[in-house]
Amino acid sequence: MGLLATLKPAAGTAAVLYTVPTGRSATVNLSACNAGQADARVRVAVGTGDAPPGSGWIEFDATLASSSVLERTAIALAAGERLFVQASTADVCFNVWGIEEVA
């Protein structure tokens, strides 16, 4: 298990945090850390396109207090699937750890 991706996206912007490589599958853990002084709203989605699909949200405007962490574990992803992240402030750092395996 190792760190697969890290990202600190611009406020209010959905961004791709991680994409499972072709021919692989992955089981990952996601961490969102609010390093800011104010609460943030956090979104996380799984999808295959260039933008988060409306049906792919696994967190939607979850409140993340200052100096707090949100964790999601054991997210199973197939080849080509992406984790999208978004926060209401630019103070949230997203990290994904996991295992990639030959599919």
Side-chain angles (χ1 to χ4, degrees):
M1 178 177 280
L3 182 65
L4 299 173
T6 185
L7 183 66
K8 191 175 179 188
T13 303
V16 176
L17 171 62
Y18 170 70
T19 303
V20 180
T22 301
R24 310 288 261 173
S25 62
T27 302
V28 301
N29 300 328
L30 171 82
S31 172
C33 176
N34 184 357
Q37 299 297 313
D39 289 356
R41 289 180 319 284
V42 174
R43 297 179 181 184
V44 178
V46 175
T48 57
D50 293 330
S55 62
W57 297 107
I58 59 175
E59 292 288 347
F60 194 84
D61 286 347
T63 300
L64 186 57
S66 174
S67 301
S68 293
V69 176
L70 168 77
E71 292 186 338
R72 293 288 298 237
T73 61
I75 303 169
L77 301 169
E81 286 190 309
R82 295 174 158 186
L83 277 178
F84 295 89
V85 295
Q86 181 176 333
S88 61
T89 73
D91 298 316
V92 178
C93 304
F94 292 92
N95 294 280
V96 63
W97 290 268
I99 299 172
E100 292 178 350
E101 299 177 304
V102 176

